[in-house]
């Protein structure tokens, strides 16, 4: 299953393939008919995770690993918003309702699989956890 053409997952995959072959120190060719240092095109987290997963699971392509990472981020997001709602409302039923609602309702799926970029999806998945940690520090 390939992602739709509106997503930025193929861009991430192309950069990760280049990083796996040449590392972060090189220049990425053909960027606006010139070269650009790779460090200006992407951060180190998602390519590092995808290269590491590809070394552990070489039978999967970078596309499949990227899609797996996006789906995992959706689960992480739903758990985070559910825990945060539980903490704020002091009711586990509301937390379960919010967590299931965030996981099932389609806006996250459309934005991440249809329009998203893996780094942005990962950052969005960490948002409720950062808020939860901040709430615990009060």
């Amino acid at each position: 299953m390939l992602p739709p053409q509106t997503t930025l997952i193929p861009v991430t995959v192309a950069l990760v393939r280049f990083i796996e072959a040449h590392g972060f120190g090189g220049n990425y060719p053909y960027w606006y008919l010139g070269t650009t240092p790779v460090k200006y095109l992407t951060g180190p987290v998602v390519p590092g995770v995808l290269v590491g997963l590809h070394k552990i699971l070489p039978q999967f392509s970078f596309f499949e690993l990227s899609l797996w990472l996006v789906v995992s981020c959706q689960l992480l997001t739903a758990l985070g918003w559910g825990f945060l709602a539980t903490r704020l409302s002091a009711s586990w039923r509301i937390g379960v309702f919010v967590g299931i609602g965030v996981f099932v309702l389609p806006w996250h799926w459309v934005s991440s699989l249809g329009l998203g970029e893996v780094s942005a999806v990962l950052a969005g998945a960490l948002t409720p956890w950062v808020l939860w940690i901040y709430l615990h520090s009060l």
Side-chain angles (χ1 to χ4, degrees):
M1 178 178 115
L2 291 175
Q5 293 300 316
T6 57
T7 184
L8 291 173
I9 291 175
V11 174
T12 302
V13 168
L15 288 171
V16 169
R17 283 182 184 153
F18 182 83
I19 290 169
E20 183 183 41
H22 301 98
F24 276 101
N27 287 338
Y28 189 75
Y30 312 120
W31 192 265
Y32 293 106
L33 300 176
T35 62
T36 302
V38 174
K39 65 181 179 179
Y40 296 139
L41 300 177
T42 186
V45 175
V46 170
V49 168
L50 290 175
V51 168
L53 284 173
H54 193 254
K55 289 186 186 297
I56 295 170
L57 305 166
Q59 67 272 21
F60 294 108
S61 70
F62 283 122
F63 279 107
E64 293 168 335
L65 293 173
S66 296
L67 291 173
W68 178 83
L69 188 60
V70 167
V71 170
S72 298
C73 286
Q74 296 304 321
L75 180 61
L76 186 68
T77 303
L79 287 172
W81 286 118
F83 283 139
L84 186 65
T86 300
R87 172 85 162 113
L88 290 174
S89 67
S91 171
W92 66 270
R93 291 178 193 219
I94 292 176
V96 168
F97 179 75
V98 167
I100 291 173
V102 167
F103 189 72
V104 172
L105 292 175
W107 70 85
H108 281 124
W109 294 102
V110 170
S111 69
S112 63
L113 291 174
L115 304 170
E117 196 268 329
V118 183
S119 298
V121 173
L122 180 63
L126 296 178
T127 301
W129 295 102
V130 171
L131 293 173
W132 188 71
I133 290 169
Y134 177 73
L135 187 63
H136 272 282
S137 68
L138 294 178

